[in-house]
Amino acid sequence: MQFKSKASLALIIPLLASLNGAPAVYSQVSMPQPSVSKAAADPSLRGPINPGSKNDNNTRLDSPENRIEEDSSNPFDRIEIEAPKLQALITISKSLDPLLLDASSSKVVSLRDTLLTAMNKNLDIRIRQYEVNSRNWSLVSSYGKFLPNINLSYRWQYLLGRPNIPFNGGADPIKFQTPLILTGAGVTYYAYRGGKILYGALQSKNNLKAARYQEKATLSDTLFSATQKYCDLVLSEALLQIRVSAVDTSIAQLELNKNLLQGGRATRLDVLQAETQLSSDRQRLIDQQINRRTAAIALAELLDQDQGVDLVPQNRLIERVRLIPENAQAGQILKVAIENRPELKQYRELWLASKKSAHIAAAPLQPSVQVFGNIYGVGETLSNSSRTKLAPISLATASGSVSTVATRQVSRQIGPLYTLGYSINWNFEGLGISDLGNIQSAKYQSRESMLELNKQLNKVTSEVRQSYLKSLSTYRKIDETRAKVASASEELRLAQMRFQYGVGKNIDVLKAQEDRTTALIENAQALIAFNVAQAQLLRDTGLISVDRLTSRAPQRID
């Protein structure tokens, strides 16, 4: 760049120096600017004039207060997240904390704590546990049908009247004016009921096993969902930090444009464009603050925790974590999945249970054998009491017979009556057509259950293969996004430098800002997507557990 006079050169040099060393004045920005330490600033992004200024308070693209730290040996493979500073966030409402928003307090949780809480508190798991308990007692009930039935009865009634009994031999009607008690105690045992009791118990056992495998499947799904939502919360923290950094960069660019406008090296349009970019970044920051809080609420809902407490992830480092060995082949993983997926075991038990339904439906077509024994008590009272009864008698004398009345004591206490026997019943409802229809219906339901098992097998196969391919894709995407971040960072550095020297356009700087922010977001999303894909693949193998999810190294899957 050529200067026509020494006066213009004298005017430009202090102006360029002020871009690096002058205090920033934000006349149209209400958001405070975080301080930047001189030692942490990156000289590569500074202007060539006055690089050693000690009063450098301008917010730069690589400001360490609100940026993602990359590992020096492998940049963007590890993203360190710092806790966001409240002054860097935008206050949405005067009555709300910009970070907590609607929450009343915060709680730091680790991934392991999240998984353990999900196992103990998740409502889906607890529902499945109650279902298992219900099925368990149903099995106990079916076992109880092998035992004999106890029959107890007691009936009190008062008899009054003179019934005409046909088989009384033409005698006078008997007069009743007395209480009558009928009691009974007995045992009934079904020796054979066509296999209904046996196959009913076996069916209940299969249903219990199916419920237990369904509980394990729900546990696997919950562990994966907890891992996914925890990773979403960590990602939202990283994106919040990226958005804060983008706002700081836009603030610095706006101040730069204002200073250049005062020096006659920028136009009013450049300032307006910078203000528009800042407004856009601030709105995205507000949206990300809401999204971060929404991710915390979603995690609290899964854990059945108080949603008024903001959950903060303890893990502040995003890095790729491999849970499945890299050399594991799709066929090997699929074999392990078929052996361990609880859904397959669940549907197999349901199929076996449905096969028992045909035997149960055929039981009414066979005879039933019943053995019984009873003792009945018939009398007027339960106590040992008696009454005096007058009975006419005839006495033979020399002159003939003489009628007189004799008295005797009659017991009123109930007396025993014993019965013992067996019965065989063989009934055909509707000429057996009804039962035959039930048998055919049960057979078709069994075949339907078999097809459901095959359908589930195809689903498991599809899930494993898709998760395996997704894991490969997300792993490679990390390398691509890492190169994209490096390219976008260099693009922004050169665009800022060219604009400061007057050989570039402001629109190029704004585009470079957008490109770098997008690249940083995609890099963070790629890391999280790989970790979630690994958790998904682990879940699809049926080997998911708290220890495997929190392990720092892949474990054998055979």
Side-chain angles (χ1 to χ4, degrees), residues 50 78 112 174 284 529:
N50 196 15
R78 294 162 53 90
R112 189 175 188 86
I174 302 175
R284 293 191 183 100

Side-chain angles (χ1 to χ4, degrees), residues 47 73 126 162 250 343 402 440 452 495:
S73 61
R126 295 173 63 184
R162 295 176 179 268
S250 296
E343 292 89 347
V402 178
Q440 294 300 319
E452 290 288 346

